[in-house]
Amino acid sequence: MSRIPLVVAIFEDKHSKALPPRDKAFKLLLSNTTFLKNIERRLTRYEIIDRVEFKPRPPVTPDDNLEYQARITFTTGHVLYIIDRFIEHNCNNRTIYQRKFSAYLRDSHGHEIVGWDNFHDEPTFQSWPLHMHGRGHTQPIPSKEQSLPEIMQAVITKHITPLLLARHIP
């Protein structure tokens, strides 16, 4: 499984010949959406994923945040909701793109099972800022998963596959 790191922020380096920060942010979001489309094609064949839906939020002005939202519906009825965005900040005449990410799995009744994010909790462990929450949005706990592919792998192996196997084992 490829490891696309959860980038927390992209900073402008005016002396670099690398891509500008906005282009780097766009490229990273595009790589995650491409990953999800590839997963959809492969896992639909094995009746693991029913569909992947994207709710694009294209930037209307150059100052708008870069963002995508995805909803992955599994054949078990579980849904993984993903929000990935870069928020532009100006700091001392330099551009900073701060990334906010969340992926939350809900069962077929809408109850939260597990989720990962890098939102507003206090840092207290090594995997910070990425952390996870258990069933019912428990207190933040450390997470080994640091990328969208790793989160997808955890969701499928720990939560979806056991349910699929239970369907076929009397």
Side-chain angles (χ1 to χ4, degrees):
M1 173 127 340
S2 85
R3 184 173 165 83
I4 303 168
L6 182 76
V7 174
V8 178
I10 296 176
F11 299 90
E12 180 179 32
D13 180 358
K14 293 184 180 191
H15 304 292
S16 172
K17 293 184 181 182
L19 289 173
R22 187 171 178 85
D23 292 352
K24 286 181 189 175
F26 181 76
K27 188 174 178 180
L28 183 59
L29 294 180
L30 183 61
S31 71
N32 276 345
T33 56
T34 302
F35 166 77
L36 290 174
K37 289 309 283 178
N38 287 335
I39 285 292
E40 177 186 29
R41 262 197 324 272
R42 292 179 181 155
L43 297 184
T44 300
R45 258 185 286 170
Y46 297 110
E47 297 180 3
I48 295 172
I49 287 179
D50 183 38
R51 69 186 170 281
V52 176
E53 300 166 90
F54 288 95
K55 182 180 172 186
R57 189 180 165 276
V60 178
T61 70
D63 295 333
D64 279 354
N65 297 330
L66 296 172
E67 175 181 321
Y68 78 86
Q69 295 179 21
R71 176 183 160 146
I72 301 168
T73 305
F74 295 92
T75 56
T76 59
H78 290 67
V79 179
L80 181 66
Y81 297 92
I82 299 169
I83 299 173
D84 204 356
R85 80 173 56 108
F86 277 96
I87 302 164
E88 183 177 341
H89 300 284
N90 234 336
C91 182
N92 297 330
N93 291 328
R94 296 180 80 192
T95 304
I96 298 171
Y97 281 89
Q98 179 186 21
R99 187 174 190 194
K100 293 295 180 184
F101 173 86
S102 70
Y104 280 87
L105 180 66
R106 295 182 182 270
D107 66 17
S108 57
H109 303 291
H111 300 114
E112 188 174 293
I113 295 174
V114 66
W116 294 262
D117 68 58
N118 68 343
F119 287 100
H120 312 288
D121 301 302
E122 291 299 316
T124 56
F125 40 77
Q126 186 176 4
S127 71
W128 189 259
L130 186 70
H131 57 275
M132 62 187 293
H133 296 274
R135 185 177 297 275
H137 207 81
T138 60
Q139 289 295 317
I141 52 180
S143 173
K144 291 184 278 184
E145 292 78 28
Q146 293 290 321
S147 68
L148 184 56
E150 290 170 321
I151 289 169
M152 284 294 296
Q153 183 176 19
V155 164
I156 291 168
T157 59
K158 295 177 184 173
H159 301 283
I160 304 302
T161 301
L163 295 170
L164 292 173
L165 290 173
R167 287 181 180 173
H168 301 289
I169 299 174

